[in-house]
């Protein structure tokens, strides 16, 4: 993308209905902001099918704005001091997926965890609780439809995979209320990730302060080598 280039996010890339999946937007901006670690702040909801503009001012900052120049999302270079929790085994992560798929799913079309998404049209990343750990985990083998022409997962896919599992962890372990959303996402990618390769996702709660929930998410190879790491702030809507 170039400075002030306009784009429209396709309708299937959503979390809540009609709202663009936050991790996807964050990954697009992170690629423009540069730097090893980037923080993305979500200022307003971005609707699917609505034109938005990219701008990349000096200093590594990148932003999405509405066509009337209203700031929607911005990214800046940052640091991440988070220590990831130990990666679960591939066997445990596969068991977590089996547990996630064994019950009724109330959300089936979320770009991150929707079972109704066709391969390549969603991540199909299905985290569930690992007994006795207070972590969510999932085994994940990305579909080729998510990768670029070389087979590598682009930043918007990696950042998407670093978003949704943290929300699941907060809902399960931090009693986060319905309607909560990602307010900020800080992440770093340590090594390339590829379609067809096996990965382990795990997520945990770091802290809670009223309506604010801080979570961590890690992506690792099936052998436990860390690929990407994020810390996110989720916020519950005000009551009433």
């Amino acid at each position: 993308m170039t400075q002030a280039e306009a784009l429209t996010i396709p309708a299937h890339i959503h979390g809540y209905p009609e709202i663009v999946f936050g991790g996807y937007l964050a990954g697009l901006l992170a690629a423009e902001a540069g730097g090893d670690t980037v923080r993305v702040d979500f200022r307003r909801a971005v609707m699917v099918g609505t034109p938005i503009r990219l701008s990349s001012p000096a200093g590594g900052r990148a932003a999405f704005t509405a066509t009337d120049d209203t700031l929607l999302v911005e990214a800046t270079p940052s640091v991440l001091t988070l220590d990831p929790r130990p990666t679960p085994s591939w066997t445990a992560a596969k068991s977590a997926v089996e547990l996630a798929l064994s019950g009724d799913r109330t959300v089936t079309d979320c770009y991150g965890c929707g079972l109704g998404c066709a391969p390549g049209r969603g991540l199909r990343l299905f985290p569930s609780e690992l007994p006795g750990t207070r972590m969510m985990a999932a085994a994940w083998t990305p579909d080729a439809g998510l990768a670029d022409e070389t087979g590598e997962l682009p930043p918007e896919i990696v950042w998407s995979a670093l978003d949704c599992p943290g929300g699941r962890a907060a809902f399960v372990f931090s009693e986060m209320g319905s309607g909560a959303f990602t307010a900020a996402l800080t992440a770093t990618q340590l090594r390339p990730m590829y379609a067809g390769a096996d990965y382990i996702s795990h997520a945990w709660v770091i802290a809670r302060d009223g309506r604010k929930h801080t979570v961590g998410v890690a992506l690792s190879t099936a052998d436990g080598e860390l690929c990407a790491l994020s810390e996110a702030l989720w916020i519950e809507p005000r009551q009433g």
Side-chain angles (χ1 to χ4, degrees):
M1 289 181 289
T2 59
Q3 186 168 351
E5 181 180 348
L7 73 156
T8 301
I9 306 300
H12 69 282
I13 304 177
H14 68 84
Y16 291 119
E18 307 300 324
I19 297 177
V20 177
F21 195 80
Y24 191 91
L25 284 173
L28 289 175
L29 273 189
E32 299 296 325
D36 295 332
T37 304
V38 176
R39 175 184 170 113
V40 177
D41 289 279
F42 300 88
R43 304 304 185 188
R44 287 173 173 78
V46 178
M47 310 305 291
V48 296
T50 302
I52 56 176
R53 291 176 178 164
L54 168 73
S55 62
S56 301
R61 179 179 174 273
F64 283 129
T65 62
T67 53
D68 65 357
D69 293 329
T70 299
L71 179 62
L72 301 172
V73 189
E74 61 181 337
T76 53
S78 187
V79 295
L80 187 61
T81 58
L82 176 66
D83 290 323
R85 294 187 61 180
T87 304
S89 69
W90 175 252
T91 299
K94 287 182 65 176
S95 296
V97 172
E98 293 171 2
L99 179 61
L101 299 179
S102 65
D104 294 332
R105 299 181 70 82
T106 58
V107 179
T108 61
D109 61 351
C110 170
Y111 186 72
C113 62
L115 182 59
C117 296
R121 297 274 291 180
L123 302 187
R124 296 178 60 85
L125 177 58
F126 308 123
S128 186
E129 180 178 355
L130 281 179
T133 67
R134 293 186 64 82
M135 289 196 309
M136 304 295 287
W140 184 47
T141 306
D143 184 81
L146 299 172
D148 63 19
E149 62 277 5
T150 71
E152 184 174 348
L153 301 182
E156 59 268 27
I157 300 301
V158 175
W159 281 63
S160 292
L162 290 169
D163 184 13
C164 196
R168 293 295 306 146
F171 283 125
V172 172
F173 301 121
S174 190
E175 299 181 352
M176 186 167 69
S178 61
F181 55 90
T182 310
L185 181 60
T186 303
T188 187
Q189 184 172 349
L190 304 174
R191 65 184 70 241
M193 299 178 65
Y194 297 94
D198 293 333
Y199 297 102
I200 298 168
S201 163
H202 69 292
W204 62 97
V205 173
I206 297 171
R208 175 175 182 175
D209 181 11
R211 296 184 298 114
K212 299 178 180 180
H213 302 256
T214 304
V215 297
V217 179
L219 297 171
S220 305
T221 67
D223 294 330
E225 293 184 69
L226 187 64
C227 297
L229 182 66
S230 72
E231 179 178 311
L233 172 64
W234 285 68
I235 297 182
E236 299 176 23
R238 297 183 185 276
Q239 296 298 318

